[in-house]
Amino acid sequence: MRFENTGIENQTAPLTRLDDLMESLGFVRAGQWDYERVTYDRKFEIKNDVSYLRVQGYAIEGDVGGRHAVIKLMKPLLGKYYYPHGVEYGEGENFPSSLVNQCEALLAKVKEGLATINA
């Protein structure tokens, strides 16, 4: 599931400030980066289902490995994890409305944090 019109897509932020913001909201970057891209995941477990809210971005200045990058964010995704295949983001996936609402609230907080960073 792709979240449209969240207000975070195409926003930019320095990597270190973005890392701090995302970590404060429960997102993990861990090893999910290369020199040009970052991925922040927030895991949700509801009954026997595992889902991930994913926010991706890419460096428009600098490189991620040097921690001196400016990141431009993309449209957030919500996917369901299937063992052993991984996360599926297809439009055919169904998510509880409570999960979608929780993700929308988190993305609104990301938007607020980005406004503070870019003020």
Side-chain angles (χ1 to χ4, degrees):
M1 173 181 181
R2 184 180 308 270
F3 288 92
E4 302 287 341
N5 304 314
T6 63
I8 69 169
E9 54 277 342
N10 298 317
Q11 292 287 326
T12 62
L15 176 63
T16 54
R17 305 272 317 268
L18 185 59
D19 280 349
D20 291 343
L21 169 64
M22 299 304 277
E23 184 179 329
S24 74
L25 296 172
F27 287 85
V28 175
R29 178 162 64 103
Q32 300 173 40
W33 62 274
D34 63 22
Y35 293 100
E36 298 173 350
R37 297 178 299 235
V38 294
T39 299
Y40 298 95
D41 283 334
R42 170 87 185 255
K43 183 177 181 180
F44 297 91
E45 295 182 61
I46 300 174
K47 298 183 182 177
N48 292 330
D49 288 332
V50 175
S51 299
Y52 288 92
L53 175 59
R54 176 165 280 182
V55 177
Q56 298 172 303
Y58 58 93
I60 58 172
E61 292 177 25
D63 75 56
V64 175
R67 298 202 39 89
H68 299 290
V70 174
I71 304 297
K72 185 173 186 178
L73 296 177
M74 301 163 61
K75 291 181 182 177
L77 303 168
L78 180 60
K80 190 176 288 186
Y81 177 76
Y82 292 98
Y83 177 83
H85 304 291
V87 180
E88 293 290 332
Y89 300 100
E91 293 301 317
E93 299 297 330
N94 293 312
F95 299 97
S97 59
S98 61
L99 174 59
V100 173
N101 293 338
Q102 188 175 1
C103 290
E104 288 172 341
L106 274 169
L107 294 170
K109 290 180 181 179
V110 171
K111 181 181 175 184
E112 289 172 18
L114 288 169
T116 302
I117 288 171
N118 293 321

